[in-house]
Amino acid sequence: MGVSKVDRDLIRATLTASREQEPDRFARSPLPYPKEFDDQIDTFTEVAERAFAGDVDGARGLISTIDGQSLMEWFDVIAQNVADVRYTLISGNPPRRRSGAGEHPTPSPARVAAIAARDGYLCGYCGIRVIEPEILKKVQMKVGRDVFPSKSNKKGSSNRDYHGIWVTTAVTLDHVVPYSESGDDSDSNLITSCWSCNFGKYDYTCEELELSLPSIGGSSVGSWSGLRDVVK
């Protein structure tokens, strides 16, 4: 996605503020997420609990209290576009050219699930709670696509058609050493990642963005299970 000058100014200001105000979080994530997002995930957890306990009407009403638009705007306008801006902010150099190494293999849902479980269903960079896409789809089937929409196969459908919870929590896998930089596709080079950190890191190395190397499997102890204990 191209980034306009106005967008770059906003992204740079957001990165600079994060670097000054929360240096520890800035060192771990391409751009730390706003902590109020945790409250929205808490609410979505209750949505799933109600839906799978039989209170679908209550779940549908509750999901309407989630500010999905703000979640989407933060991802779409800022978070997914930070890589080049962060690199320039840190290095003083213009964004480097893409290496063009080609597409990496798409992991199977089973592999995504296994690595997400290994990592405690937390993004290995920012630490936000994440949920497998297959689980999100099951919640959608319960509460209805009208209140919990997602991208469709129709022409013109885009990421902006997703509910903000989807782009905030959906699990992806990121290559710690980028595939484009000769990183392999082994489990030891894959980390659970939210969309924002995956897109936000893009194909830069952790060193280039001054990010701490994530600890593979380092978040495996905890009570969060990615709603697997709720969604059957």
Side-chain angles (χ1 to χ4, degrees), residues 212-225:
S212 304
L213 284 173
S215 177
I216 302 297
S219 300
S220 59
V221 178
S223 60
W224 175 248
S225 62

Side-chain angles (χ1 to χ4, degrees), residues 57-148:
D57 288 342
R60 284 174 56 84
L62 187 59
I63 201 169
S64 67
T65 69
I66 296 174
D67 189 359
Q69 186 65 30
S70 291
L71 297 175
M72 170 56 72
E73 289 296 326
W74 190 81
F75 167 76
D76 192 54
V77 175
I78 299 177
Q80 71 169 339
N81 296 309
V82 304
D84 285 345
V85 183
R86 178 171 174 133
Y87 176 73
T88 298
L89 177 67
I90 287 170
S91 69
N93 298 319
R96 65 166 168 75
R97 298 180 65 180
R98 309 270 80 87
S99 63
E103 294 293 324
H104 57 75
T106 300
S108 67
R111 192 178 191 197
V112 172
I115 292 178
R118 178 199 71 184
D119 295 338
Y121 300 96
L122 300 174
C123 175
Y125 297 106
C126 72
I128 200 168
R129 288 169 286 173
V130 292
I131 304 167
E132 295 163 58
E134 296 304 310
I135 298 293
L136 292 169
K137 289 176 185 177
K138 289 181 179 180
V139 176
Q140 183 185 61
M141 290 176 65
K142 280 285 187 180
V143 301
R145 195 184 188 99
D146 58 322
V147 295
F148 190 47

Side-chain angles (χ1 to χ4, degrees), residues 157-183:
S157 183
S158 72
N159 285 344
R160 291 191 66 88
D161 293 330
Y162 282 107
H163 189 282
I165 280 289
W166 209 294
V167 300
T168 302
T169 66
V171 170
T172 68
L173 300 182
D174 182 61
H175 291 82
V176 178
V177 178
Y179 197 73
S180 61
E181 297 296 315
S182 301

